[in-house]
Amino acid sequence: MSNIKLTCEFQNTPIPNLFIDQYMTKANPVFSLVYIYGLRRCMEGDGGLSTAEIGAELNILETDVVNAWKHWEREGLIDLRFREKDGGPGDCTGDLCVSFLPVRCKSGKPAETAPAPAKRGQPAPAKTFILSTRPQYTVKELETYQQQSAEIAELFAYAQDALGKYLAYHDLNVIFGLYEWLRLPLDVIRFLFSYCADHDRRDLRYIEKVAIDWAENDVRTLEKAEEYVQTCAGDYRKIMQALGAGGVFPSVSQRRYMDKWLLEYEMPMDVILEACDKTAVQLGKPKITYVNTILQDWNKQGIRTVDGVRADAASFAMKKEAAKKTETSASSPLSANSKAKPRQNRFVNFKQREIDYDMMEKLESEYLKRSVEG
């Protein structure tokens, strides 16, 4: 391939060099295209451009345009907000208001290497995906991507084989979201499906949770994915040892419990091991279902540290002791301030009749009178 020599007939570059060097080279090409095109139209004073018009001009989907704006807002290059209803100086034409901000230099560190995935129990790095919830793609959008991209069509086919079922519309939404929403590379997504299928986890809700966990921890290469899986396997071994089954690889049902603790609850390892110790003390031998009950309760209470576990146990013990004292006081025979109650028996409970002496005297007088006259 021949070398390309670039020349220009103007002195100033319309796009800042910082954007090209530090932002554009690491962003989705579609996002860079939207930024450059939007800035170009902004410089012309065109304030009435819609996302649909930009999508049509660039031959991309409208959702790509919206996601591009959200990406550059996260990068700090634009201010994104909705139009104010009352109008005035803060108002702008269209439902979405995009204000281009000065391009600032990133931190002195070059972005040559991505941070290593965080270990379990350590704070995870900042989320790298755009929206807090997965967007919903229309049937037309999914068909368009599948027709225009051989890789997406291959991904859908691979996922269908791994899951062992025909993919419905909702399934395609989730799978495409792993690529478009979480920005995971295709080889990482394929590895994810293989890993879950090998461990008999074909539920897309579970697969999506694993993918989110990988995205949050910047697992975006095949090497990092393999390393991260090995880290999870190490977590399995630690838990199995705490359950008294060291050296034994967990069964499918046991892994489901552990994945729930690690991925869904995001419980630190020391808290999980504390729950295992608690079951060993109370039952004599750790039992995974009992551990699950304990961790489920701690998760509802928001307990995430061993200190929090011990504080909760101390609070429970104090309440139990107070309740015991109250019960003992209520059941004591007599206290200094209490009065003896009369003993209840059938004679005490007998309700005596009330006698009308005036009536008896009157009846007796009548009786005597009849006796004299008779």
Side-chain angles (χ1 to χ4, degrees), residues 134 136 167-175 204-205:
R134 170 173 42 82
Q136 291 294 320
L167 298 179
Y169 164 70
H170 173 74
D171 301 329
L172 295 175
N173 247 290
V174 174
I175 296 169
L204 270 175
R205 290 176 297 180

Side-chain angles (χ1 to χ4, degrees), residues 293-336:
T293 302
I294 293 175
L295 291 174
Q296 189 175 19
D297 181 62
W298 290 351
N299 180 62
K300 289 180 180 178
Q301 298 183 58
I303 297 175
R304 288 290 184 277
T305 64
V306 174
D307 291 339
V309 170
R310 292 170 182 170
D312 178 70
S315 175
F316 177 78
M318 290 177 62
K319 292 179 181 178
K320 186 177 180 180
E321 184 65 24
K324 184 178 180 180
K325 289 181 179 179
T326 303
E327 182 180 355
T328 303
S329 176
S331 61
S332 61
L334 287 175
S335 62

